[in-house]
Amino acid sequence: MRMIDETTGESEDISLTPPKRTRCDAPEEGLVERARQGDHQAFAALFEAYNARICAYLARLVGDDELGRDLAQDTFIAAWCALPQILGELRFGPWLYRIATNTARSSLRRARLLSWLPFGLENVHALRIPSAGPEPGARLAEAERIRLALATLAPQARICLLMQVEGGFSQREIAAALGITEKSVSAYVSRGREQFRRAHRALEDETNRDSAPSSDAGGGEHA
Amino acid sequence: MNTSTSPTIKRPCAAWANSLAAGPDDLTDVERAALDAHLATCEACSSARVDYARMDALIRSLPAPAPLISLPAYPSDRRPADDTQDTVTRESVAPPTNFISGMATRRRSQLSPQWAAFRAIAAVLIVGVVVAGFAALLGHRQSRPGVTTGPQPQVGDWRLLSTPSEAPNQASGGQFILTPQTSVAGLLYACWSEPAPDGSALLWRSEDSGLHWKRLATPTTAPTRCYLEVSPGAPNTVFLDTTSSTPGYYSLDRGDHWSRHTPPAGYEQWNAGAPTAEGDVWYYLSRDADEQPVFLVTSDRGAHWETHGFPFHLNISPLPGPSPLFGPYLRVRYEKGGYIVPYEDTLWWTPDYGATWRKLGAWGDGSMGYTPPCGGLIRGTPDLSLFYCVAWNGQFEYRPYWRSVDRGLTWRAVPYGPPVTPTKDTPLAGIGAIPMLLRDGSLLQLSPTPGDPSKVAFYSLAPGTNVWRQASKPLNDVVRLCSSQQGAGPAPTCVIPPTIVITDGANGGQNIYLTQADGTTVMAAIAWR
């Protein structure tokens, strides 16, 4: 499907079907079992398979690349430590995302307890983005818009949406991983998508307004 | 460049919203066919689907952080050891009981030097915390000072406040009413409850904590019953007698000159004596025709009034009259003019007298009906960095207090600490037992003493601790409870219960004023050393 961006007039090809992530469950089972027994090489293979995805998921979840990487490290350590406790069949991917999610939650909880947020109206209307500059900055501005739009989502909606979009999990898998009902996941994703859509659109509009030449600029500052 | 605002986004149909948001594996073939059929006829849903696909592509297109270069070092002891891992694993690994029993039976492997050092440090810290806890507990029981760290509030000697020389003798039947201005050190107003023999109101001001008094002139048309209101947010503004339907007066220069003030209709719903002033803004907290709380706000000294509602619907008490616990008690003034209002299990904040509201946090289970679980009383520092939700609920039922150190986002229970819990049978009950908050975040509360519940003492809870201590001796010297036989009659230095006001003091300290049963007032300075 070809989609035209009404704000820029640009068009791009959009697939309505998200790409399915490949998860090699059969070999993974063997790796998980060996890692459970203490096999470093097996766990290293699992690490390689999930490293980039967990880093990306956590970075998007907390809105900070460096923090996301730190949390990813904590996640893998936690997974290594917890694996021997797991009895029976384990779907490693959803389980790892669950650990990652809880690690992020704990981190955000601690950060919220420790940081002293500015307390004023500026916090209520916190959606401020850098002006979209000329072309070299445009990509950065778009990335910033996406991060800010994600940040407006309620935590549970953000988690479910990212696990579906970024992690490639079905809503049933997300429900199992997070310990909530499939119906709840569906509602969270639905709500999250709509919130994200509106926030992103609002940010796009704001960017366009900020970058519009002022009518009373008097000819600008260029020599 | 197109700089116009995008067209309004239409919401997808509610019945199809979840299907639209589903992933590729989440719908059956039948469900997907039904969705496609609907999309062919619904512009809003079709547009949403296109937008969702674009949003997904955008999220996936975000620059990914560089992955970790290598696997983190393996802890040689595969135990979820620290707090984070413990929490994570308990939440993520089922069942927890297996996890715990597994820990108990696990063979200890050889420790790395770093791990051993970490455990040694942790052990030292744990021992230190345990020892400190016992020390604090002992200190609490034995009333020893210095248990908590940091400067402690020290109360100086009590001083009996003088009364103006023109004040009538108490035997005449009137009463000397003291009104401290809490944000200006030493600024006090006082009035006599009855008119002077010539019919005028008797009103005084002191700017040195009652050492010297100046008689204030009042308008000749002023009501003769004296009633004063001052607000911490407007140090020079004073309101005089607006307790009835007659217009009152206000002064913007500490009572030297007066002007008429006409309150808005309905202002008296919560028996408000005068508006609260925050700079040039004055407001009443009242109720509208549906019994719901409202702010009545003016910024032009009453020429125009605006009404701002609250973000929740108040379930009116089945008891006659307004809900006793709603109203002035349910708020904490914020130094920039905002207010905190707890309702049920949620804390609300308004920075502009109800024009806008922000939901801050929640606590408890919200099962208390129209009153918050913490009883409807909240204490907080002016910068909102520390809140206490205190447990008095008007029925002498005490619960643990709740404390928030993150501006109401999260709450933790702290124990109700004074050793004797007041009941409806103890003389000290009700408003006199409500704790106050000192500048350093210490809670200060009067409570019966363990040895003789007919006596009371101040107890304090230092910020960041759960240890209550009996306050210093000077603070408690003055507090002697009248015996039940004495009743409320004149009995110097006994209280039933006392009226206590904490104000700002000199040199960054605070003053505590305590009005006794005989109508006299004593004050002491609080300093932190």
Side-chain angles (χ1 to χ4, degrees):
Chain A
M1 174 177 286
R2 177 162 291 272
M3 193 194 68
I4 299 176
D5 187 331
E6 292 163 339
T7 59
T8 63
E10 295 173 353
S11 63
E12 55 183 314
D13 285 322
I14 292 287
S15 168
L16 293 182
T17 307
K20 293 192 69 171
R21 302 298 171 103
T22 53
R23 294 195 295 276
C24 309
D25 287 344
E28 193 173 281
E29 276 182 24
L31 291 174
V32 171
E33 184 52 40
R34 283 166 48 201
R36 199 187 319 225
Q37 310 283 338
D39 185 333
H40 287 193
Q41 282 188 337
F43 192 77
L46 292 169
F47 168 79
E48 285 303 323
Y50 285 93
N51 179 12
R53 290 167 56 189
I54 289 291
C55 285
Y57 168 70
L58 285 168
R60 285 150 175 62
L61 192 58
V62 299
D64 183 315
D65 285 1
E66 279 310 304
L67 179 59
R69 284 162 50 84
D70 286 348
L71 294 175
Q73 183 162 309
D74 291 346
T75 298
F76 284 110
I77 292 175
W80 168 254
C81 292
L83 260 177
Q85 315 303 322
I86 305 301
L87 305 174
E89 188 182 350
L90 172 70
R91 291 290 304 276
F92 185 76
W95 179 75
L96 189 66
Y97 270 76
R98 181 177 182 176
I99 294 178
T101 304
N102 287 329
T103 305
R105 277 181 177 152
S106 297
S107 169
L108 292 175
R109 202 178 297 140
R110 280 198 305 273
R112 200 170 57 176
L113 284 173
L114 293 176
S115 66
W116 297 71
L117 301 172
F119 203 86
L121 272 183
E122 67 276 12
N123 223 24
V124 180
H125 307 292
L127 278 185
R128 292 286 175 269
I129 60 171
S131 296
E135 277 310 305
R139 185 173 175 77
L140 178 63
E142 178 62 281
E144 195 62 21
R145 277 196 294 270
I146 298 168
R147 288 195 187 95
L148 286 168
L150 278 173
T152 64
L153 305 188
Q156 198 74 333
R158 199 183 326 157
I159 289 166
C160 291
L161 183 63
L162 284 174
M163 284 187 75
Q164 177 170 308
V165 175
E166 179 66 41
F169 294 107
S170 70
Q171 293 183 351
R172 178 170 298 178
E173 288 173 313
I174 298 169
L178 300 181
I180 57 179
T181 66
E182 203 174 334
K183 193 174 177 182
S184 297
V185 173
S186 179
Y188 282 128
V189 172
S190 171
R191 205 177 304 156
R193 279 191 187 285
E194 195 59 23
Q195 286 174 347
F196 182 89
R197 178 193 189 201
R198 288 169 185 277
H200 188 267
R201 178 68 64 87
L203 290 163
E204 279 183 334
D205 288 345
E206 190 168 334
T207 306
N208 290 335
R209 278 197 302 274
D210 287 350
S211 59
S214 175
S215 58
D216 58 357
E221 299 173 1
H222 296 290
Chain B
M1 178 182 286
N2 177 9
T3 59
S4 63
T5 302
S6 310
T8 306
I9 296 177
K10 289 182 183 174
R11 285 189 180 279
C13 305
W16 295 95
N18 286 2
S19 297
L20 274 171
D25 296 335
D26 295 322
L27 299 179
T28 64
D29 291 343
V30 174
E31 289 169 331
R32 191 162 295 283
L35 175 63
D36 288 341
H38 173 72
L39 289 173
T41 61
C42 178
E43 186 186 347
C45 288
S46 178
S47 169
R49 191 185 199 199
V50 172
D51 277 357
Y52 290 170
R54 178 170 168 251
M55 299 296 115
D56 289 359
L58 286 173
I59 292 173
R60 291 192 201 100
S61 72
L62 262 182
L68 300 173
I69 295 171
S70 63
L71 197 60
Y74 290 96
S76 54
D77 185 1
R78 290 180 82 179
R79 292 189 311 139
D82 69 16
D83 286 346
T84 303
Q85 312 319 331
D86 194 0
T87 304
V88 167
T89 313
R90 279 186 202 168
E91 290 179 6
S92 48
V93 182
T97 47
N98 290 352
F99 165 64
I100 294 169
S101 62
M103 280 183 65
T105 57
R106 193 176 304 111
R107 178 175 59 85
R108 299 287 174 91
S109 60
Q110 292 180 344
L111 300 179
S112 68
Q114 294 88 345
W115 186 243
F118 168 76
R119 294 179 63 177
I121 292 169
V124 169
L125 287 175
I126 289 169
V127 169
V129 167
V130 170
V131 169
F134 271 112
L137 192 61
L138 287 173
H140 172 214
R141 292 190 171 162
Q142 298 171 15
S143 305
R144 286 179 185 164
V147 172
T148 54
T149 58
Q152 297 297 306
Q154 304 289 325
V155 179
D157 293 335
W158 291 94
R159 172 166 67 83
L160 185 68
L161 261 62
S162 66
T163 52
S165 55
E166 308 98 316
N169 189 301
Q170 186 146 312
S172 66
Q175 192 176 4
F176 187 69
I177 303 170
L178 194 73
T179 307
Q181 163 56 264
T182 59
S183 61
V184 178
L187 178 57
L188 304 174
Y189 297 92
C191 58
W192 190 252
S193 62
E194 302 300 325
D198 63 357
S200 63
L202 290 168
L203 182 64
W204 298 271
R205 180 181 73 217
S206 170
E207 298 187 359
D208 55 9
S209 295
L211 288 176
H212 301 90
W213 292 96
K214 175 189 176 185
R215 174 85 186 269
L216 299 177
T218 53
T220 53
T221 55
T224 51
R225 278 183 57 83
C226 181
Y227 191 94
L228 286 170
E229 289 279 350
V230 295
S231 304
N236 297 327
T237 304
V238 192
F239 292 93
L240 172 66
D241 196 18
T242 52
T243 55
S244 64
S245 57
T246 57
Y249 291 82
Y250 69 88
S251 169
L252 302 179
D253 55 7
R254 301 189 178 187
D256 288 333
H257 301 87
W258 297 92
S259 303
R260 291 286 290 267
H261 165 60
T262 304
Y267 78 98
E268 72 282 12
Q269 292 280 14
W270 264 313
N271 301 317
T276 304
E278 293 283 352
D280 293 332
V281 177
W282 300 351
Y283 65 92
Y284 290 91
L285 186 62
S286 187
R287 290 181 297 157
D288 63 12
D290 295 326
E291 304 283 299
Q292 295 305 303
V294 290
F295 281 104
L296 303 173
V297 187
T298 180
S299 54
D300 52 13
R301 296 171 197 166
H304 303 90
W305 293 88
E306 290 181 7
T307 303
H308 297 151
F310 280 59
F312 46 80
H313 189 274
L314 184 66
N315 295 319
I316 301 302
S317 164
L319 300 172
S323 301
L325 291 178
F326 202 81
Y329 297 128
L330 272 187
R331 52 190 183 149
V332 171
R333 172 181 169 268
Y334 175 43
E335 61 185 347
K336 290 180 182 173
Y339 270 84
I340 296 293
V341 180
Y343 181 67
E344 292 189 338
D345 64 343
T346 303
L347 195 66
W348 301 85
W349 176 60
T350 175
D352 47 16
Y353 319 101
T356 57
W357 288 92
R358 184 180 176 193
K359 198 173 181 176
L360 281 186
W363 69 93
D365 58 6
S367 61
M368 289 292 290
Y370 69 92
T371 58
C374 62
L377 288 164
I378 193 164
R379 291 280 184 267
T381 52
D383 64 353
L384 305 184
S385 62
L386 176 67
F387 287 142
Y388 278 95
C389 209
V390 297
W392 186 72
N393 69 348
Q395 298 167 358
F396 314 113
E397 294 171 3
Y398 284 79
R399 298 180 181 80
Y401 294 170
W402 294 79
R403 177 164 56 200
S404 173
V405 296
D406 58 359
R407 307 190 177 199
L409 290 170
T410 56
W411 293 82
R412 285 182 182 276
V414 294
Y416 176 79
V420 176
T421 300
T423 69
K424 62 182 179 183
D425 299 321
T426 56
L428 182 70
I431 202 78
I434 295 173
M436 295 152 292
L437 196 62
L438 298 183
R439 173 174 288 161
D440 73 331
S442 296
L443 274 186
L444 190 67
Q445 177 166 352
L446 270 176
S447 183
T449 56
D452 182 357
S454 69
K455 294 180 179 174
V456 292
F458 277 106
Y459 291 85
S460 66
L461 176 70
T465 73
N466 286 337
V467 181
W468 287 79
R469 301 166 50 215
Q470 191 168 347
S472 58
K473 188 171 182 295
L475 186 58
N476 283 319
D477 274 347
V478 75
V479 186
R480 275 177 279 172
L481 198 68
C482 302
S483 70
S484 56
Q485 286 78 19
Q486 285 178 285
T493 68
C494 81
V495 292
I496 304 181
T499 301
I500 304 169
V501 177
I502 306 274
T503 73
D504 286 356
N507 303 319
Q510 288 185 281
N511 293 336
I512 180 169
Y513 294 89
L514 193 152
T515 300
Q516 305 175 101
D518 64 351
T520 60
T521 299
V522 292
M523 67 87 64
I526 305 173
W528 278 263
R529 301 189 190 96

